[in-house]
């Protein structure tokens, strides 16, 4: 065949080379990688052409979904990837496990509702926020993770560089915005205003998760003004699930557990050596 008689968009060459080229252009990398292997399996098993094609297309779809989820997770900028598989609900009895597992199904994102996790340090607030963020990525929602301090400094920087509007639009567009650690750093009046604007612009448009070590009555100490705090809480808590996460610090408990284990091991060793572990007297 000469080049002129080929249908538009095709070029001459061996079929494998052309196929590789076209599949790349069509963005079907899994079909390209698998078509030969699957063809041999189908020939061996006597599978017909439509089923061969179906297998290939299904492989591409599965891979594409996996790639999309991975891209969403990277775009979310999680400081670590954590899930509920590694979360021990018995360590934090104040937390309503049923509510959290229901939230992990992401219905609240479709309803544009918010979540606020409140509790002292080390009780798993960030872990839960990360796990909810991961669940949202897996369910197909765009997610952005940030801390309150980092968000405010990004907003201030964007304002100074005259690109505040663009950043605000980006923050508004994401389906789930996670703002971790509101409360550790007091905000400047401008910083507090800009943070308020983010929550205000997302109100009933998208979901926001906020974690804080401070009860609501102390939020004024971070945001500066009582009027602003009232207006912010008004928007944030209109449609909200509150996660009460007060309890022992998981971090401290883990290290206390390690200390106890070490002490017990030393005691066992002393007893084995014939020494009373409390008095130090020789017992053997
Ligand atoms: P917070 O944000 O409330 O200060 P983190 O979520 O950062 O607490 O928790 C501190 C550390 O302890 C993290 O490594 C977290 O994964 C772990 N952790 C906290 N609570 C639990 C829990 N209930 N089960 C498993 N790991 C936990
Ligand atoms: Mg935290």
């Amino acid at each position: 065949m000469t080049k002129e008689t080929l249908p538009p968009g095709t070029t001459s060459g061996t079929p494998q080379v052309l196929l590789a080229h076209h599949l790349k252009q069509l963005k079907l990398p899994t079909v390209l990688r698998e078509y030969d292997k699957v063809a041999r399996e189908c020939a061996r098993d006597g599978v017909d052409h439509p089923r061969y094609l179906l297998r290939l297309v299904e492989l591409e779809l599965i891979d594409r979904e996996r790639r999309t989820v991975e891209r969403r997770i990277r775009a979310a900028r999680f400081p670590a990837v954590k899930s509920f598989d590694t979360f021990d609900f018995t360590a934090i009895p104040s937390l309503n496990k049923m509510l959290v597992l229901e939230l992990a199904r992401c219905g609240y994102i479709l309803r544009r509702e918010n979540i606020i996790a409140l509790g002292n340090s080390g009780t798993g607030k960030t872990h839960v926020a990360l796990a909810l963020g991961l669940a949202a990525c897996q369910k197909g929602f765009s997610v952005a993770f940030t801390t309150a301090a980092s968000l405010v400094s990004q907003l201030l920087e964007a304002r100074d560089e005259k690109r505040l509007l663009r950043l605000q639009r980006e923050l508004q567009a994401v389906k789930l915005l996670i703002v971790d650690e509101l409360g550790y750093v007091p905000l400047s009046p401008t910083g507090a205003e800009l943070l308020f604007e983010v929550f205000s612009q997302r109100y009933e448009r998208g979901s926001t998760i906020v974690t804080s070590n401070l009860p609501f009555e102390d939020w004024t100490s971070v945001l500066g003004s009582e009027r602003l705090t009232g207006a912010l809480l008004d928007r944030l808590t209109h449609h909200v699930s509150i996660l009460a996460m007060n309890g022992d610090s998981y971090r401290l408990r883990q290290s206390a557990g390690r200390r106890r284990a070490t002490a017990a091991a030393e005691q066992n060793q002393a007893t084995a050596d014939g020494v009373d572990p409390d008095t130090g007297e020789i017992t053997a």
Side-chain angles (χ1 to χ4, degrees):
M1 255 203 293
T2 65
K3 212 171 174 184
E4 290 80 79
T5 59
L6 286 167
T10 56
T11 44
S12 57
T14 62
Q16 280 89 342
V17 174
L18 276 179
L19 194 54
H21 174 264
H22 296 344
L23 288 173
K24 270 186 201 142
Q25 199 161 7
L26 289 168
K27 299 203 165 39
L28 298 169
T30 309
V31 171
L32 175 58
R33 197 182 63 236
E34 299 291 328
Y35 80 87
D36 202 38
K37 188 175 118 232
V38 179
R40 272 185 269 116
E41 286 167 5
C42 286
R44 185 195 62 205
D45 303 341
V47 172
D48 61 16
H49 285 95
R51 286 189 181 78
Y52 164 58
L53 201 53
L54 182 63
R55 269 192 204 180
L56 271 183
V57 171
E58 278 175 350
L59 286 176
E60 186 70 58
L61 276 177
I62 292 166
D63 253 14
R64 183 171 293 187
E65 179 55 26
R66 188 182 48 75
R67 288 193 300 268
T68 313
V69 171
E70 280 169 5
R71 209 174 312 124
R72 259 184 237 121
I73 292 172
R74 277 197 303 277
R77 297 177 176 275
F78 297 124
V81 176
K82 296 205 180 188
S83 73
F84 288 115
D85 295 346
T86 57
F87 191 77
D88 175 12
F89 281 92
T90 63
I92 177 91
S94 74
L95 182 63
N96 182 342
K97 179 178 176 181
M98 294 304 285
L99 172 61
V100 174
L101 295 184
E102 170 56 31
L103 291 171
R105 294 158 54 143
C106 298
Y108 74 100
I109 301 180
L110 292 174
R111 297 190 299 273
R112 295 149 191 210
E113 296 173 358
N114 302 325
I115 301 175
I116 303 179
L118 298 176
N120 48 297
S121 180
T123 52
K125 297 182 298 298
T126 301
H127 191 135
V128 165
L130 286 169
L132 287 170
L134 182 67
C137 287
Q138 287 164 341
K139 287 257 172 4
F141 299 102
S142 56
V143 179
F145 185 102
T146 179
T147 63
S150 154
L151 178 59
V152 166
S153 65
Q154 280 175 58
L155 288 162
L156 288 168
E157 203 177 291
R159 192 196 54 159
D160 292 346
E161 293 169 8
K162 309 232 180 300
R163 49 177 181 84
L164 181 59
L165 212 60
R166 197 170 56 196
L167 178 60
Q168 284 176 329
R169 284 215 190 95
E170 280 167 23
L171 289 166
Q172 201 179 312
V174 74
K175 294 286 177 207
L176 173 63
L177 176 69
I178 304 177
V179 181
D180 199 21
E181 294 185 354
L182 183 79
Y184 284 111
V185 188
L187 306 173
S188 68
T190 320
E193 283 280 351
L194 288 170
L195 186 68
F196 168 77
E197 270 181 45
V198 170
F199 290 146
S200 183
Q201 285 164 351
R202 291 185 61 75
Y203 174 65
E204 291 189 336
R205 292 207 187 98
S207 295
T208 307
I209 299 181
V210 176
T211 82
S212 179
N213 59 320
L214 297 178
F216 291 135
E217 57 267 28
D218 293 343
W219 281 30
T220 310
S221 67
V222 178
L223 296 160
S225 125
E226 207 149 306
R227 178 193 57 82
L228 192 75
T229 309
L232 186 144
L233 280 176
D234 202 41
R235 284 156 181 76
L236 207 55
T237 60
H238 187 194
H239 311 282
V240 75
S241 300
I242 310 257
L243 303 179
M245 299 187 63
N246 270 303
D248 295 337
S249 161
Y250 192 85
R251 274 187 286 251
L252 287 180
R253 225 166 28 167
Q254 291 287 87
S255 48
R258 272 197 300 275
R259 274 200 303 279
R260 266 199 304 280
T262 315
E266 279 167 2
Q267 193 165 45
N268 285 343
Q269 191 55 46
T271 315
D273 291 345
V275 179
D276 185 306
D278 294 325
T279 60
E281 281 169 26
I282 295 172
T283 53

